[in-house]
Amino acid sequence: MSGNLTQLEQIKARLRCIELLKILKKRMTYEELSKILKVRPQLRGESKNDSTPRPLPITVLNRYIRGHVLPNADRTEEMLKILENEIDLVKEVRNRLKFDNGYFDNTSLLGDTLLLRYVARVITQKFAKDGITKVLTAAADGIPIGTHIANEMEVDLVIAKRVREVGVKEFVEETYIPSFSGTRMSLYIPKYSFSRKDRVLVVDDVVRSGETQRALINIVKKSGSDVVGLFILVAIGDSWREEIILPDEKIETILNLPSNRS
């Protein structure tokens, strides 16, 4: 790995390795991490004649997780293979939801910056060939994951809000009537947010009916821009797909829950 990467890419890989360790440390002990992280002795600074993989010492893992030292390039490559195989993104997202009487609280999920950063990297890879230039989300719960994805893609984030902000002269507006309320709702973005050359990824934390996400897609279209795809962290049921006029291959979700649990 190290021979094919720039120095900056190597540093990013080493930092990504530490982030994955920290994510797993939330549900695993140092002893458990040590057992799964078996590396070749030469990557532990031991004899090159012995090729038997052995667990990384707990003291070394502790120094990594506390940020006292970074693994070298070769050890990073070997650890990343293990760590990425160990993380089940669906389970990680589900474990951060708290269920109560058919509803769920996603506060812990939206506040877990390490996990959201990892999700952002996964989604960035999935849409890597689509030439995305902007990310669009809705205030307020879509902002955390939207921010991380826009940051990972190195593009601007546009936030659609429920009210017209003072100081903005012209808006692109989309008004819709949610089926659960029967009242009119609107989303607004400054008119200058998108150009006709923009390729936009629409992002949100949760989808139930699909009406808010359809409104976001319509805002992009009204701006004359292209909708590249839709990403949702948690999807409830699948009836919402009927509201989204996008091919299935342009829609990505992490966790899909049955509608009777929402």
Side-chain angles (χ1 to χ4, degrees), residues 39 60 115 150 164 178:
V39 298
V60 174
L115 182 59
R164 293 172 177 259

Side-chain angles (χ1 to χ4, degrees), residues 170-207:
E170 295 182 280
F171 295 86
V172 177
E173 173 185 354
E174 176 67 14
T175 299
Y176 62 106
I177 303 176
S179 55
F180 63 85
S181 70
T183 59
R184 289 181 178 274
M185 300 186 71
S186 296
L187 288 173
Y188 305 91
I189 64 168
K191 192 173 182 179
Y192 56 76
S193 299
F194 296 124
S195 72
R196 294 187 179 277
K197 294 181 180 180
D198 278 321
R199 294 174 57 78
V200 183
L201 176 66
V202 176
V203 171
D204 216 342
D205 65 316
V206 178
V207 59

Side-chain angles (χ1 to χ4, degrees), residues 136-147:
L136 173 66
T137 193
D141 284 355
I143 295 176
I145 183 58
T147 300

Side-chain angles (χ1 to χ4, degrees), residues 138 162 174 176-180 187 202 204-219 230-232 234-246 251 253 259 262:
R162 302 288 181 186
E174 176 67 14
Y176 62 106
I177 303 176
S179 55
F180 63 85
L187 288 173
V202 176
D204 216 342
D205 65 316
V206 178
V207 59
R208 293 182 175 85
S209 67
E211 292 161 327
T212 298
Q213 292 73 28
R214 182 181 62 186
L216 290 170
I217 290 171
N218 287 342
I219 284 179
L230 170 69
F231 169 66
I232 305 293
V234 182
I236 312 299
D238 56 11
S239 61
W240 57 270
R241 290 180 179 269
E242 298 174 4
E243 298 287 335
I244 309 299
I245 308 175
L246 285 176
I251 300 175
T253 61
S259 57
S262 62

